[in-house]
Amino acid sequence: MPRTTRGKRRALQAAMVLSVLGLLPSAWVYVTTDGRVRTVDNAPSAPVAVVFGAGLRPDGEPTQWLAHRLDAAAELYHSGRVRALLVTGDNSTEDYNEPDSMRRYLVEHDVPADRIVADYAGFNTWNSCARAASVFGVSEALLVTQDFHIRRALALCEAAGIDAHGVAVPEWRSPVWVFSGLREMAGAVTAVYQAAFTPSPTFPGPRDTGLDEILSES
């Protein structure tokens, strides 16, 4: 710390400026998605729901948070608000397959397998959003994820060209929830870059017509 009064004042001013700059990305995410966050009960209709991965347990089954996302997606389907589901997650190794685990869970909850399309290269939120638009042809969707993550998902999917509403899945405010919310502040910084420059996803193609075929039959 500076020893002089003037030096301490400048250090305090610098800290305040850095704090404001650090909060700007989070403010951008919040402002650009205002009015587009809903719940399962009041979500509008859309052709497809995009369900983001949230990890697997050691036995390969969805984590509790992912199961809650899938429960919400199943409810959206059964209520007729969506006609198809796109499950997007990580399958970067042979032993780790989020999308197939998500599909199995949904089928066990009475969602027809032929109404589910899997994206195996949804390694992060941007990859999931960019591939939903460019690979799977999604232009309008409901996004399903936890309440602390929904606004960043909305901002990125809209940057990718998807007209979206977010379905926020509530969770108990545990220490993990608090940590995840704080991590979203760092994620918002990356989101600003991704929204501004729209980098190509890790695996950009080829085009998958699975959703097109489902929706053309509906």
Side-chain angles (χ1 to χ4, degrees), residues 1-14:
M1 285 291 293
R3 295 184 178 181
T4 65
T5 300
R6 184 177 182 181
K8 291 178 180 178
R9 186 184 302 116
R10 288 183 174 177
L12 178 60
Q13 291 171 341

Side-chain angles (χ1 to χ4, degrees), residues 174-184:
S174 66
V176 176
W177 184 94
V178 173
F179 171 78
S180 297
L182 292 174
R183 190 175 62 179
E184 280 300 304

Side-chain angles (χ1 to χ4, degrees), residues 11-96:
L12 178 60
Q13 291 171 341
M16 293 176 64
V17 169
L18 290 174
S19 296
V20 170
L21 291 175
L23 291 173
L24 282 178
S26 296
W28 169 80
V29 167
Y30 189 91
V31 170
T32 56
T33 59
D34 193 36
R36 289 186 171 270
V37 178
R38 306 293 178 85
T39 66
V40 170
D41 293 332
N42 65 13
S45 296
V48 59
V50 179
V51 191
F52 295 84
L56 300 177
R57 300 186 330 222
D59 62 0
E61 294 301 309
T63 60
Q64 184 180 56
W65 282 5
L66 181 52
H68 291 168
R69 297 181 188 189
L70 296 167
D71 290 338
E75 188 172 346
L76 290 171
Y77 176 81
H78 291 308
S79 67
R81 287 191 174 92
V82 298
R83 291 176 285 154
L85 301 176
L86 175 62
V87 293
T88 173
D90 188 349
N91 181 213
S92 55
T93 67
E94 185 177 346
D95 298 329
Y96 191 87

Side-chain angles (χ1 to χ4, degrees), residues 54-149:
L56 300 177
R57 300 186 330 222
D59 62 0
E61 294 301 309
T63 60
Q64 184 180 56
W65 282 5
L66 181 52
H68 291 168
R69 297 181 188 189
L70 296 167
D71 290 338
E75 188 172 346
L76 290 171
Y77 176 81
H78 291 308
S79 67
R81 287 191 174 92
V82 298
R83 291 176 285 154
L85 301 176
L86 175 62
V87 293
T88 173
D90 188 349
N91 181 213
S92 55
T93 67
E94 185 177 346
D95 298 329
Y96 191 87
N97 192 327
E98 277 188 298
D100 277 356
S101 180
M102 295 163 77
R103 186 202 298 272
R104 284 195 304 271
Y105 186 97
L106 288 167
V107 171
E108 290 169 359
H109 287 74
D110 300 321
V111 177
D114 61 2
R115 295 288 159 173
I116 306 168
V117 173
D119 175 12
Y120 296 94
F123 303 129
N124 56 34
T125 305
W126 173 248
N127 274 274
S128 293
C129 290
R131 283 176 53 84
S134 64
V135 175
F136 296 93
V138 176
S139 59
E140 181 183 359
L142 298 180
L143 310 182
V144 184
T145 185
Q146 262 71 29
D147 46 9
F148 61 80
H149 175 233

